[in-house]
Amino acid sequence: MSPWAAAVGHELRSAGRERLPQLLLMIFIGMSAASAFIGSAAKATVTEVYNSAAGQGLTNAANPFGNVPPLYYARNTVIYILLIGALLAIVIGVQSAMRDRRARTIDLVLTRLLSPAGYLGAKMTGIGLGLLAVLGASALISVVCISAVTGSIPAPDQLLRLLALFGVAWLFLLFFVALGTLSGLHASSYTTALLVPIVIWSVIIFVLPLLGTAAHPVSLLNPVTPPAAPLTGIFALTGSLTGPLSLGEQFKHVAAILLKDPQATGTMTGGITVILAFLAAGISAVVLTGRTSMRKELHD
Amino acid sequence: MTDMAIETSALAKTYGSKQALEALSLEVPRGEIFGLLGHNGAGKTTTVNILTTLLPASSGTARIAGHDVTTGADRVRRSIGYLPENVHFYDNLTLTENLTFFARLSGVPDPAARIAAALEAVDFTGHGQEKMSSFSKGMRQRAGIAQAILHEPAVLFLDEPTSGLDPQGVAKLREIIISLNQSLGMTVFMNTHLLAEVTKTCTSIGILSSGRLIYQNSVAATLGAFPDQASLEDIYLHIEAGTPS
């Protein structure tokens, strides 16, 4: 086994033994499983209200939930990825960087054959593989739950779209892993290491979209429908500046197209480009961390 | 192949305006147990950090087993083992898991065999499945030496190896260091404060004072050169006192 592969394996083993990521992981997978049933309950409630209204002759329009595609039931997963998944990714990244600093083993690592970039790259690869397994399990659970709710297995093209959603989620979450790792490598204490990326996450997910759309904050928790961007005025200007940086909105837009949301327009290219650009910047910043920064002592 | 395990020439290190190491020129032949002495802040740990490639020098050159620490850092890392002053491990892993990880990072092809040999060399067999969190300071030091010799390095760097150990621990560690030197032919470079230990363990010494090497000789020659001094401690204080700071 090469030193690089050893570092990847070590990362997977160590991360698997930590409590906090395990807890968040359980919540994330649980919520992914619940997503289809929440969608099913929403459909049942709306249909019941519709039937009642239609029975009283209040409407003769078609039931808006009468013919929802199976992918509809995965909509809530997008928000869990955005909220719980991103927080999970940050915690995993911080814990990974802090593990060496807390254990004070970095000098033993750096006097061996892997360069700092090689070692940090191996750590990111290990986490990436772990995250891939988590998202793979979530995807499987989603398919099982959607099948249970709809009574049939989604068609192959729908399965592919679902897999693509989790693939994009992997890229999206890896950026937050990199953000957490970077903070863990440079922060002077564990608390700061956790706090900084969470503040950045809240800015990316909530503040930037608000600056760009003046949207009501709650609307940002709408699974896939993007907030309407104003065409004139100050928010049109800020929107053009902050829009590309609103990683969460870009992810939601890509997810909306993948899940065939009827309100989603345009293509995925821009959103995926932004996600990849964030990811490339995050990973580059991690692997370019120098020997001196890695050896910095922790103050708690 | 050079006969020198360690060679430095005009090696210097500055931290901002502070000169931590000044024109250090040092030669340690293969097979020696070299003790680097000096007061706190003399530059001993800085020296070890540069020689183990953890820290870049500000100027000058250093070669370990013939390899330059800057241009041949990878080859240097293959040639050295390192025990930091306070050695730490991943506490949630067992000793064997820790050693396996470090062996693989050193490119050891058969970690299990080397771990068994290293634990035997430090007289520590039977502890492999224990979690590191249960280890005492003395046990950690022995585990630390085991991790340092996994890849059979030519040169072993020990930073204050006996610091914080009880007398039995010090004696055991001394026995291990001498055994590694004599049985496996490893050159040992150690920083230490315990001058009594230097007499019993080292074959040669150097004295650093405020970043400058003010003395280097074999222990036997040093003891012979200062017949009016009762011990190595007296000799050290005598040499230090004669050095303008």
Side-chain angles (χ1 to χ4, degrees):
Chain A
M1 185 184 281
S2 72
W4 189 83
V8 172
H10 176 72
E11 187 60 37
L12 278 168
R13 185 185 306 111
S14 301
R17 290 187 186 181
E18 278 164 0
R19 297 266 168 85
L20 187 55
Q22 279 176 5
L23 177 69
L24 283 171
L25 179 63
M26 299 298 283
I27 294 172
F28 178 70
I29 290 183
M31 294 300 277
S32 296
S35 169
F37 294 105
I38 291 170
S40 171
K43 181 192 171 187
T45 304
V46 172
T47 302
E48 196 177 321
V49 171
Y50 170 81
N51 287 340
S52 168
Q56 294 169 41
L58 297 174
T59 180
N60 55 7
N63 179 0
F65 278 76
N67 194 25
V68 292
L71 289 176
Y72 165 82
Y73 298 105
R75 281 165 49 119
N76 286 311
T77 305
V78 175
I79 282 303
Y80 304 144
I81 289 168
L82 216 58
L83 302 179
I84 305 168
L87 286 176
L88 169 71
I90 286 171
V91 169
I92 289 174
V94 170
Q95 298 266 44
S96 168
M98 282 286 160
R99 193 178 306 121
D100 290 326
R101 294 184 68 190
R102 282 178 148 175
R104 286 179 277 178
T105 49
I106 201 65
D107 282 359
L108 299 185
V109 171
L110 292 178
T111 48
R112 288 180 152 82
L113 299 183
L114 271 182
S115 64
Y119 181 63
L120 292 171
K123 282 172 85 72
M124 289 297 296
T125 306
I127 299 173
L129 290 174
L131 202 57
L132 197 62
V134 169
L135 289 172
S138 299
L140 187 66
I141 288 168
S142 281
V143 171
V144 170
C145 294
I146 290 170
S147 303
V149 166
T150 60
S152 63
I153 296 170
D157 74 303
Q158 290 167 334
L159 285 176
L160 278 177
R161 283 177 173 275
L162 206 57
L163 280 180
L165 169 69
F166 280 95
V168 175
W170 183 65
L171 298 173
F172 172 77
L173 294 180
L174 269 183
F175 163 72
F176 288 101
V177 169
L179 185 64
T181 306
L182 199 60
S183 180
L185 285 169
H186 292 279
S188 57
S189 73
Y190 183 69
T191 315
T192 313
L194 265 180
L195 192 62
V196 169
I198 287 174
V199 169
I200 294 173
W201 164 81
S202 64
V203 168
I204 289 174
I205 302 296
F206 296 109
V207 179
L208 290 180
L210 289 179
L211 287 174
T213 62
H216 191 280
V218 176
S219 74
L220 298 172
L221 296 176
N222 190 340
V224 288
T225 311
L231 299 173
T232 57
I234 185 72
F235 285 108
L237 176 67
T238 54
S240 64
L241 295 173
T242 61
L245 299 172
S246 302
L247 188 64
E249 292 307 302
Q250 301 287 355
F251 172 68
K252 279 164 65 179
H253 176 66
V254 172
I257 293 172
L258 282 171
L259 295 180
K260 283 189 159 176
D261 184 287
Q263 295 176 59
T265 54
T267 66
M268 294 187 290
T269 315
I272 288 182
T273 306
V274 169
I275 291 169
L276 287 175
F278 267 81
L279 177 59
I283 289 181
S284 301
V286 169
V287 298
L288 290 175
T289 301
R291 200 171 282 271
T292 309
S293 297
M294 289 172 76
R295 297 185 67 224
K296 219 162 44 179
E297 280 192 21
L298 201 57
H299 296 296
D300 60 4
Chain B
M1 186 186 283
T2 172
D3 287 336
M4 292 298 157
I6 300 165
E7 300 168 87
T8 72
S9 175
L11 198 65
K13 179 69 186 176
T14 53
Y15 297 103
S17 59
K18 186 181 183 302
Q19 183 93 37
L21 203 58
E22 191 179 330
L24 175 68
S25 294
L26 179 73
E27 288 188 340
V28 178
R30 288 177 189 272
E32 292 274 320
I33 302 180
F34 179 83
L36 188 61
L37 316 178
H39 54 78
N40 287 337
K44 303 189 298 293
T45 297
T46 297
T47 305
V48 166
N49 283 343
I50 294 171
L51 297 180
T52 53
T53 75
L54 285 170
L55 200 63
S58 302
S59 61
T61 60
R63 298 177 76 81
I64 308 295
H67 309 299
D68 189 280
V69 294
T70 307
T71 58
D74 277 355
R75 275 166 289 172
V76 168
R77 290 185 199 117
R78 286 182 194 278
S79 308
I80 63 167
Y82 173 51
L83 176 73
E85 181 173 355
N86 293 302
V87 66
H88 293 276
F89 291 92
Y90 298 102
D91 280 348
N92 60 345
L93 303 183
T94 64
L95 173 60
T96 298
E97 286 172 329
N98 270 286
L99 294 181
T100 303
F101 173 56
F102 289 118
R104 287 186 170 143
L105 281 189
S106 294
V108 173
D110 181 7
R114 279 304 309 154
I115 289 168
L119 290 178
E120 193 179 336
V122 298
D123 196 12
F124 209 47
T125 48
H127 294 278
Q129 296 313 311
E130 292 173 28
K131 282 266 174 74
M132 297 301 301
S133 50
S134 65
F135 279 20
S136 68
K137 167 86 179 171
M139 292 166 85
R140 280 175 181 272
Q141 289 297 90
R142 282 155 77 178
I145 292 187
Q147 67 76 30
I149 61 172
L150 284 168
H151 51 300
E152 299 177 287
V155 185
L156 194 57
F157 287 94
L158 311 174
D159 194 356
E160 303 282 0
T162 50
S163 167
L165 295 184
D166 59 25
Q168 288 87 348
V170 171
K172 184 69 201 172
L173 210 65
R174 182 199 316 139
E175 184 189 309
I176 291 167
I177 292 167
I178 292 172
S179 161
L180 290 173
N181 173 255
Q182 292 181 349
S183 313
L184 301 175
M186 288 180 190
T187 304
V188 180
F189 182 106
M190 56 190 272
N191 286 346
T192 184
H193 278 108
L194 298 178
L195 296 169
E197 272 313 299
V198 172
T199 318
K200 292 175 183 167
T201 313
C202 297
T203 52
S204 62
I205 59 166
I207 298 176
L208 267 185
S209 179
S210 303
R212 283 176 293 137
L213 186 71
I214 57 171
Y215 183 84
Q216 185 185 357
N217 209 337
S218 71
V219 171
T222 302
L223 292 171
F226 297 90
D228 50 331
Q229 304 295 332
S231 66
L232 188 61
E233 185 175 346
D234 293 332
I235 294 170
Y236 169 76
L237 292 172
H238 176 77
I239 293 171
E240 269 268 40
T243 308
S245 59

